[in-house]
Amino acid sequence: MADVWLGSHTLRSHGAKVARIHLHDWLILILLVIIDGLLNLIEPFHRFVGQGMMTDLSYPFKPNTVPVWAVPILAGVLPVAIFSVYYYYRKDVYDLHHAILGLLFSLLATGVITDAIKDAVGRPRPNFFWRCFPDGKAAFDPVTYDVICHGDAHIIKEGYKSFPSGHSSWSFAGLTFLAWYMSGKLRVFDRRGHVAKLCIVLIPVLIAILVGISRVDDYWHHWTDVFAGALIGTIVAAFCYLQFFPYPYETEGWAPHAFFEMLAERTRVQSSGRTNSIRMGEMTDIETAFMAGDPERVCNPEQR
């Protein structure tokens, strides 16, 4: 089955049709982008930070080992590149479109969930002290005993967004989706015991784990922030993948649901065509002539 329709559903032949069918899904993606942008503009909840809490919030304010711009490349560009390589050999626009659409849903839904929780929780980062007091001179309100920050407003704002880790949630959302995708394509769970396939599939997961570890090493997040972000990204990726693809361990786990729906529709059309051919064979000459749109052949039987 995997090679029957090879090269018959390309971007040129079926791309517009597939995109048109899922137009509303792409519109929802745009809505998710807008929502996530608004969540980043909102001022997060400023959780109380007393002097006695500074012990766990006074770690060095270091630069990111994995920059913010690198996360979309690892979680988005890398998977899309692998999807494109598979399309180059398979020529299946259903697989390419649904893989990209599912990946984007995984990333953007994870982003909205993560940023919404960040704003609502307002947990200080481990390096909050140096964000709040860049000169090292702490100041607290004499009545509430809460911090009185005198650092850069944007840096302070980001200092209240520790839980959950956005780097971790995005990395796990994109790379776990890629791991599911590769599992189906490589038929990892075909019960033949090829451990090498499993090792290949675990590479994206390992990259996501290393990104999460870097957040703790850089003192931008507590370990619980990373764990929560990884959990959110993994769960959302699983839901989004299964929305478009079967379980990787299933016999048809190598292609999206839409591919098999298309095959079923084509089979129904062909079966209907064969039925019509049989009926045409049973028609009289007059019926056949009218079906062909040539009534003169009916009026002049000698022409037949």
Side-chain angles (χ1 to χ4, degrees):
M1 178 68 76
D3 299 325
V4 171
W5 303 105
L6 185 63
S8 61
H9 305 101
T10 64
L11 282 170
R12 179 175 296 180
S13 64
H14 290 72
K17 174 184 176 182
V18 176
R20 186 167 57 252
I21 292 173
H22 292 273
L23 177 61
H24 63 285
D25 294 317
W26 289 100
L27 293 176
I28 292 175
L29 283 178
I30 296 175
L31 178 61
L32 289 176
V33 172
I34 295 173
I35 293 174
D36 193 52
L38 293 175
L39 288 172
N40 279 281
L41 294 177
I42 295 175
E43 187 71 25
F45 173 66
H46 286 207
R47 187 166 295 276
F48 173 83
V49 182
Q51 188 171 1
M53 302 169 62
M54 283 299 175
T55 303
D56 295 328
L57 303 177
S58 300
Y59 290 94
F61 188 12
K62 299 170 56 179
N64 293 304
T65 299
V66 180
V68 175
W69 57 263
V71 178
I73 294 177
L74 291 173
V77 177
L78 176 61
V80 170
I82 294 177
F83 302 159
S84 301
V85 170
Y86 182 79
Y87 171 78
Y88 177 79
Y89 290 100
R90 179 72 178 86
K91 295 297 186 297
D92 181 9
V93 69
Y94 292 93
D95 185 274
L96 179 65
H97 177 272
H98 285 41
I100 293 177
L101 185 61
L103 174 70
L104 292 178
F105 263 112
S106 180
L107 292 174
L108 291 174
T110 296
V112 170
I113 293 172
T114 300
D115 290 331
I117 297 176
K118 280 178 177 289
D119 290 340
V121 174
R123 185 181 189 182
R125 297 182 185 271
N127 54 23
F128 181 80
F129 178 90
W130 296 104
R131 290 172 175 271
C132 189
F133 313 118
D135 57 1
K137 299 178 180 179
F140 297 88
D141 190 286
V143 178
T144 64
Y145 302 106
D146 195 7
V147 292
I148 303 178
C149 297
H150 50 261
D152 182 87
H154 177 72
I155 294 177
I156 295 171
K157 175 182 177 180
E158 288 299 315
Y160 283 100
K161 292 186 175 183
S162 187
F163 183 88
S165 168
H167 273 60
S168 301
S169 63
W170 260 61
S171 296
F172 274 88
L175 295 172
T176 301
F177 187 97
L178 176 60
W180 280 77
Y181 180 87
M182 293 171 63
S183 297
K185 297 301 177 286
L186 296 176
R187 296 169 175 80
V188 174
F189 306 106
D190 58 4
R191 301 182 182 180
R192 296 181 180 179
H194 297 302
V195 181
K197 293 182 178 181
L198 185 61
C199 293
I200 294 174
V201 169
L202 290 177
I203 291 175
V205 179
L206 176 60
I207 295 175
I209 291 174
L210 293 176
V211 171
I213 292 175
S214 74
R215 306 307 288 160
V216 178
D217 291 347
D218 293 339
Y219 306 116
W220 278 64
H221 287 284
H222 309 275
W223 75 267
T224 48
D225 306 332
V226 172
F227 180 81
L231 190 62
I232 292 171
T234 301
I235 293 175
V236 174
F239 274 107
C240 290
Y241 181 84
L242 296 176
Q243 181 73 16
F244 297 97
F245 293 85
Y247 283 99
Y249 60 78
E250 293 184 358
T251 304
E252 298 179 344
W254 55 272
H257 296 300
F259 179 80
F260 298 105
E261 292 174 359
M262 177 275 301
L263 291 184
E265 179 63 26
R266 175 171 291 188
T267 301
R268 286 193 294 270
V269 172
Q270 290 176 344
S271 298
S272 176
R274 285 194 295 269
T275 302
N276 291 335
S277 298
I278 294 173
R279 293 183 59 192
M280 288 287 290
E282 297 174 348
M283 289 180 180
T284 64
D285 291 341
I286 295 177
E287 291 173 330
T288 304
F290 272 109
M291 290 293 292
D294 189 5
E296 292 185 359
R297 296 180 61 190
V298 181
C299 298
N300 300 293
E302 294 181 356
Q303 296 179 7
R304 288 187 276 118

